[in-house]
Amino acid sequence: MTRSQALWIASRVVLPALLASGCATTPGACDPSKADFFSNTSCLGSGAYRQRQLDLESDLAAEQERNRAFKALLADLEAEQAEVRSDLRAREAAYARAQANWQRIKRSLAAERSANSALASRVKQIDQDFGRAETGKRSERDALLNQVRLLEQELDAGVYD
C-alpha cells in the first residue's frame, strides 16, 4: 500500500469513524493533559473540550462566590468582635461596679444566709448567673466564629466532596 493510499483510507474511513465516536465522549472524560491521540481527537471533534472548559469556569465562579461569601461573613463577625473589644473597657468597668455592689449585698446578708438555706441557695444561684453573664456572649460569639472558620477549612480540604 502506498503512502497516498494510506492517507486516503485514513481520511475517508478512520477520521470519520473517530469523529463519529466523538459524540460518545463526555466533557468529564476529556483531559487535555493525557496524551491519547484517539481520545483527544474525539474530544476535539465532539466539542467536549469546550464544554469541559465551560464546566470548569462555572465551577470556578461558584467557588469564588462561596469564598467571597465566607470572607464577607468572617469580616462581619470580626467587625462585631472589634466593636465588642472597643466597648470592652466600658463593659468591664460596669461589670466590676455591679460585682462590687453584689459583694456588698452578699456581705450584708451573711448572717441571714447562714440561718436560711433558701436564701443561701438563691445567693449562690445569682453568683452563678453573674459568672455566666460575663462569659456567655463572648464565648457564644467566639464559638460561632470558630465554627465558621472550621467549616471554611473543611470545605477547602474537601471534607464534604
Side-chain angles (χ1 to χ4, degrees):
M1 176 181 307
T2 66
R3 183 178 176 159
S4 64
Q5 288 174 329
L7 288 175
W8 183 86
I9 292 173
S11 67
R12 301 288 185 227
V13 176
V14 175
L15 190 57
L18 284 175
L19 292 175
S21 69
C23 295
T25 304
T26 63
C30 292
D31 185 355
S33 66
K34 294 182 181 172
D36 181 351
F37 173 78
F38 295 109
S39 176
N40 290 346
T41 304
S42 176
C43 290
L44 277 172
S46 69
Y49 275 145
R50 178 68 182 140
Q51 186 59 48
R52 180 176 191 265
Q53 179 184 3
L54 293 174
D55 292 347
L56 290 172
E57 287 171 356
S58 176
D59 290 348
L60 176 63
E63 288 296 323
Q64 288 173 333
E65 177 57 32
R66 182 182 306 149
N67 284 341
R68 282 191 291 275
F70 265 113
K71 286 179 182 179
L73 175 58
L74 289 171
D76 291 342
L77 290 172
E78 288 167 355
E80 193 269 339
Q81 192 175 39
E83 262 183 53
V84 168
R85 278 191 211 123
S86 68
D87 278 348
L88 188 57
R89 287 194 178 122
R91 289 181 185 198
E92 286 176 344
Y95 183 79
R97 286 190 305 273
Q99 188 74 320
N101 287 327
W102 173 241
Q103 293 303 321
R104 282 195 338 228
I105 291 169
K106 276 179 34 177
R107 280 191 301 275
S108 73
L109 293 173
E112 289 92 343
R113 281 188 306 159
S114 62
N116 185 333
S117 63
L119 178 59
S121 176
R122 182 71 174 119
V123 167
K124 182 179 178 181
Q125 180 63 45
I126 292 173
D127 272 339
Q128 291 171 347
D129 289 347
F130 258 103
R132 281 192 295 274
E134 179 181 15
T135 60
K137 288 189 179 191
R138 186 181 321 158
S139 65
E140 287 174 20
R141 182 193 60 250
D142 291 346
L144 176 60
L145 186 61
N146 288 335
Q147 289 298 318
V148 170
R149 284 182 177 152
L150 178 62
L151 177 60
E152 182 180 35
Q153 290 169 356
E154 288 171 348
L155 287 170
D156 287 345
V159 171
Y160 300 105
D161 288 341

